[in-house]
Amino acid sequence: MGDLVHALGIQWSALIAQMVNFSILIFVLAKFVYKPVLKVIDDRRDTIAASLEKAKEIDQHKERIDAERVAILRKADEEAAALLERAKLESEALRVDVEKVARAQAAQLVTKGMEQLEHERASMVRELQNKLAHAIVLSAEKILRREFSKEDQASFEDELKQNLPSMLS
Amino acid sequence: MNAVAISLASEAVGSVGGFEIRNTMLMAWLAMGVLFLLAFCIRRTGYRLMPGRFQALIELVVSGLYDLFASIVQDDRMARKFFPLTASIFIFIIIGNWMGILPGVGSITIQGMHEGYMQAIPLFRSMNADVNMTLAIAVFAIASVQFFGVWALGFRSYGSKFVAAPWKHPIQMFVGSLEMVGELSRIVSFTFRLFGNIFAGEVLLLVISYLVPYLAPVPFLAMELFVGLIQGLVFALLTAVFLKIAITEHEAHADHDGHDMGTAAPSF
């Protein structure tokens, strides 16, 4: 055993020195390399996870807003369509009312015009009868070469006025 | 042409106050210096959330190793406890192995006493081609395994893996003694696997370089890079596996407490 140890060059001092060296190496690497590197990797992983979570939330928020926007637009479209329909109906009703009133007014105007025309015609016919009766009486005076008294003149004219319409028709 | 001198033991290149400084120890300090320099550089540039190229490279290595060891331990909290040990074993061993094939290592010699003779001894020698180094790492790793086992399960629970009352559980006592031998054999296997591979690689390179100095050693240098990586990986992965086994309640204890066997997670 002693020969083997000697042949391999095993020495307690060298062995312990190498163990101490290795311990120092582990300590230095753990303190200055492994822990900081693992920490920065963990931090990065956390940051990425948080960012992904945030991105997911933003996506969800965007989807929600899009859905709300679509719903609002759809509602606005429906309201606009309803409003348009109501406006059409109201305008149609208004048009009918206005037309009815216009027709009534036109009919009233026509009736009034007809009445006025009738009245004017009647007054013209009366005036014509008067003038014609007077002319007939004057003509009769000239034909008969005599002058009627005022009372006769008036009596003839009244009689003529009464009979003229039947005579002219 | 000089004869090829091959020595199993590392050579002393000087002494300070009676303490022998060996050529493998110089290499270990150089490897530590390289790692300290890297740590200093990354510390100086600072750790930013948006990493630069250097920080990205360091993060790639550290996170890759962490994921590897965490997949073995299967417990994030425990993996964080073990990570400095397992990652340091891996990084220190591969840096030491790769530095061992740098030009000048083994070829720069000084005159010194070795095995009672004045001879030319290499100033630098691959740190893992010395049993003192591999044994130191192996003892440290297995001692850490025992420490974490006791820390995770408690002294009684962890100790019951090795010791049992012979009048109650004679078979358990026998298995316990085998377990104890197994723990010691892990140190031996760790030590000589790494030492054997690296020392054999050194000898191979030395012989090839002696026979055909130009071009012929190149494929063997590439192979040594690969062997250096594999040995670091094997050492670190086995340590992680032993740590996982140590913190897992063993069958007898689980049976005794009426718990699930084997894979029950430790509670702290």
mmCIF file of all heavy atoms in Angstrom, chain A residues 71-88:
data_model
loop_
_atom_site.group_PDB
_atom_site.id
_atom_site.type_symbol
_atom_site.label_atom_id
_atom_site.label_comp_id
_atom_site.label_asym_id
_atom_site.label_seq_id
_atom_site.Cartn_x
_atom_site.Cartn_y
_atom_site.Cartn_z
ATOM 1 N N ALA A 71 -70.424 46.442 -31.363
ATOM 2 C CA ALA A 71 -71.777 46.484 -30.796
ATOM 3 C C ALA A 71 -72.362 47.884 -30.909
ATOM 4 O O ALA A 71 -73.538 48.056 -31.271
ATOM 5 C CB ALA A 71 -71.732 46.039 -29.336
ATOM 6 N N ILE A 72 -71.508 48.891 -30.603
ATOM 7 C CA ILE A 72 -71.979 50.285 -30.680
ATOM 8 C C ILE A 72 -72.366 50.635 -32.122
ATOM 9 O O ILE A 72 -73.410 51.251 -32.381
ATOM 10 C CB ILE A 72 -70.898 51.249 -30.140
ATOM 11 C CG1 ILE A 72 -70.800 51.107 -28.613
ATOM 12 C CG2 ILE A 72 -71.202 52.693 -30.516
ATOM 13 C CD1 ILE A 72 -69.598 51.775 -28.006
ATOM 14 N N LEU A 73 -71.494 50.218 -33.060
ATOM 15 C CA LEU A 73 -71.775 50.501 -34.476
ATOM 16 C C LEU A 73 -73.074 49.825 -34.921
ATOM 17 O O LEU A 73 -73.895 50.423 -35.637
ATOM 18 C CB LEU A 73 -70.609 50.019 -35.348
ATOM 19 C CG LEU A 73 -69.383 50.922 -35.348
ATOM 20 C CD1 LEU A 73 -68.248 50.283 -36.127
ATOM 21 C CD2 LEU A 73 -69.701 52.287 -35.953
ATOM 22 N N ARG A 74 -73.226 48.551 -34.467
ATOM 23 C CA ARG A 74 -74.440 47.814 -34.847
ATOM 24 C C ARG A 74 -75.681 48.513 -34.283
ATOM 25 O O ARG A 74 -76.684 48.714 -34.990
ATOM 26 C CB ARG A 74 -74.347 46.386 -34.334
ATOM 27 C CG ARG A 74 -75.409 45.477 -34.928
ATOM 28 C CD ARG A 74 -75.298 44.063 -34.417
ATOM 29 N NE ARG A 74 -74.072 43.424 -34.846
ATOM 30 C CZ ARG A 74 -73.256 42.745 -34.054
ATOM 31 N NH1 ARG A 74 -73.507 42.631 -32.770
ATOM 32 N NH2 ARG A 74 -72.172 42.174 -34.531
ATOM 33 N N LYS A 75 -75.547 48.938 -32.992
ATOM 34 C CA LYS A 75 -76.672 49.617 -32.343
ATOM 35 C C LYS A 75 -76.989 50.927 -33.058
ATOM 36 O O LYS A 75 -78.154 51.266 -33.293
ATOM 37 C CB LYS A 75 -76.306 49.882 -30.879
ATOM 38 C CG LYS A 75 -77.488 50.206 -30.001
ATOM 39 C CD LYS A 75 -77.040 50.393 -28.571
ATOM 40 C CE LYS A 75 -78.171 50.929 -27.733
ATOM 41 N NZ LYS A 75 -77.703 51.285 -26.390
ATOM 42 N N ALA A 76 -75.907 51.653 -33.422
ATOM 43 C CA ALA A 76 -76.097 52.927 -34.121
ATOM 44 C C ALA A 76 -76.768 52.706 -35.467
ATOM 45 O O ALA A 76 -77.653 53.483 -35.874
ATOM 46 C CB ALA A 76 -74.742 53.607 -34.308
ATOM 47 N N ASP A 77 -76.322 51.628 -36.156
ATOM 48 C CA ASP A 77 -76.942 51.296 -37.451
ATOM 49 C C ASP A 77 -78.434 51.020 -37.283
ATOM 50 O O ASP A 77 -79.267 51.516 -38.063
ATOM 51 C CB ASP A 77 -76.257 50.057 -38.056
ATOM 52 C CG ASP A 77 -74.966 50.442 -38.757
ATOM 53 O OD1 ASP A 77 -74.729 51.659 -38.930
ATOM 54 O OD2 ASP A 77 -74.193 49.525 -39.112
ATOM 55 N N GLU A 78 -78.734 50.220 -36.242
ATOM 56 C CA GLU A 78 -80.139 49.865 -35.990
ATOM 57 C C GLU A 78 -80.964 51.114 -35.659
ATOM 58 O O GLU A 78 -82.079 51.301 -36.169
ATOM 59 C CB GLU A 78 -80.232 48.868 -34.836
ATOM 60 C CG GLU A 78 -79.798 47.464 -35.232
ATOM 61 C CD GLU A 78 -79.644 46.534 -34.040
ATOM 62 O OE1 GLU A 78 -79.948 46.961 -32.903
ATOM 63 O OE2 GLU A 78 -79.210 45.400 -34.254
ATOM 64 N N GLU A 79 -80.351 51.968 -34.783
ATOM 65 C CA GLU A 79 -81.063 53.195 -34.395
ATOM 66 C C GLU A 79 -81.281 54.099 -35.606
ATOM 67 O O GLU A 79 -82.341 54.697 -35.783
ATOM 68 C CB GLU A 79 -80.266 53.935 -33.317
ATOM 69 C CG GLU A 79 -80.484 53.329 -31.933
ATOM 70 C CD GLU A 79 -79.654 54.025 -30.878
ATOM 71 O OE1 GLU A 79 -78.920 54.983 -31.216
ATOM 72 O OE2 GLU A 79 -79.731 53.611 -29.723
ATOM 73 N N ALA A 80 -80.222 54.181 -36.436
ATOM 74 C CA ALA A 80 -80.336 55.024 -37.643
ATOM 75 C C ALA A 80 -81.423 54.487 -38.575
ATOM 76 O O ALA A 80 -82.208 55.264 -39.140
ATOM 77 C CB ALA A 80 -78.989 55.062 -38.360
ATOM 78 N N ALA A 81 -81.444 53.165 -38.715
ATOM 79 C CA ALA A 81 -82.454 52.546 -39.588
ATOM 80 C C ALA A 81 -83.858 52.806 -39.047
ATOM 81 O O ALA A 81 -84.778 53.154 -39.806
ATOM 82 C CB ALA A 81 -82.190 51.043 -39.690
ATOM 83 N N ALA A 82 -83.988 52.668 -37.698
ATOM 84 C CA ALA A 82 -85.296 52.903 -37.072
ATOM 85 C C ALA A 82 -85.720 54.357 -37.247
ATOM 86 O O ALA A 82 -86.887 54.663 -37.548
ATOM 87 C CB ALA A 82 -85.227 52.535 -35.593
ATOM 88 N N LEU A 83 -84.716 55.245 -37.052
ATOM 89 C CA LEU A 83 -84.987 56.674 -37.193
ATOM 90 C C LEU A 83 -85.428 57.008 -38.620
ATOM 91 O O LEU A 83 -86.388 57.777 -38.835
ATOM 92 C CB LEU A 83 -83.696 57.439 -36.848
ATOM 93 C CG LEU A 83 -83.850 58.847 -36.306
ATOM 94 C CD1 LEU A 83 -84.571 58.813 -34.958
ATOM 95 C CD2 LEU A 83 -82.474 59.489 -36.129
ATOM 96 N N LEU A 84 -84.733 56.415 -39.560
ATOM 97 C CA LEU A 84 -85.048 56.640 -40.972
ATOM 98 C C LEU A 84 -86.459 56.157 -41.299
ATOM 99 O O LEU A 84 -87.235 56.843 -41.982
ATOM 100 C CB LEU A 84 -84.020 55.875 -41.831
ATOM 101 C CG LEU A 84 -83.880 56.316 -43.273
ATOM 102 C CD1 LEU A 84 -83.345 57.744 -43.345
ATOM 103 C CD2 LEU A 84 -82.926 55.385 -44.012
ATOM 104 N N GLU A 85 -86.766 54.977 -40.761
ATOM 105 C CA GLU A 85 -88.097 54.399 -41.000
ATOM 106 C C GLU A 85 -89.184 55.295 -40.424
ATOM 107 O O GLU A 85 -90.198 55.580 -41.074
ATOM 108 C CB GLU A 85 -88.134 53.010 -40.357
ATOM 109 C CG GLU A 85 -89.361 52.189 -40.694
ATOM 110 C CD GLU A 85 -89.476 51.854 -42.177
ATOM 111 O OE1 GLU A 85 -88.417 51.787 -42.851
ATOM 112 O OE2 GLU A 85 -90.602 51.699 -42.660
ATOM 113 N N ARG A 86 -88.893 55.766 -39.166
ATOM 114 C CA ARG A 86 -89.874 56.639 -38.508
ATOM 115 C C ARG A 86 -90.043 57.946 -39.295
ATOM 116 O O ARG A 86 -91.150 58.461 -39.474
ATOM 117 C CB ARG A 86 -89.414 56.925 -37.077
ATOM 118 C CG ARG A 86 -90.572 57.275 -36.149
ATOM 119 C CD ARG A 86 -90.133 57.305 -34.707
ATOM 120 N NE ARG A 86 -89.217 58.383 -34.470
ATOM 121 C CZ ARG A 86 -88.344 58.437 -33.464
ATOM 122 N NH1 ARG A 86 -88.284 57.426 -32.630
ATOM 123 N NH2 ARG A 86 -87.549 59.454 -33.297
ATOM 124 N N ALA A 87 -88.886 58.476 -39.754
ATOM 125 C CA ALA A 87 -88.927 59.726 -40.533
ATOM 126 C C ALA A 87 -89.739 59.533 -41.807
ATOM 127 O O ALA A 87 -90.515 60.407 -42.204
ATOM 128 C CB ALA A 87 -87.510 60.168 -40.857
ATOM 129 N N LYS A 88 -89.529 58.368 -42.441
ATOM 130 C CA LYS A 88 -90.279 58.077 -43.667
ATOM 131 C C LYS A 88 -91.782 58.053 -43.400
ATOM 132 O O LYS A 88 -92.592 58.655 -44.134
ATOM 133 C CB LYS A 88 -89.850 56.717 -44.234
ATOM 134 C CG LYS A 88 -88.663 56.794 -45.177
ATOM 135 C CD LYS A 88 -88.362 55.401 -45.720
ATOM 136 C CE LYS A 88 -87.105 55.406 -46.552
ATOM 137 N NZ LYS A 88 -86.720 54.055 -46.927
#
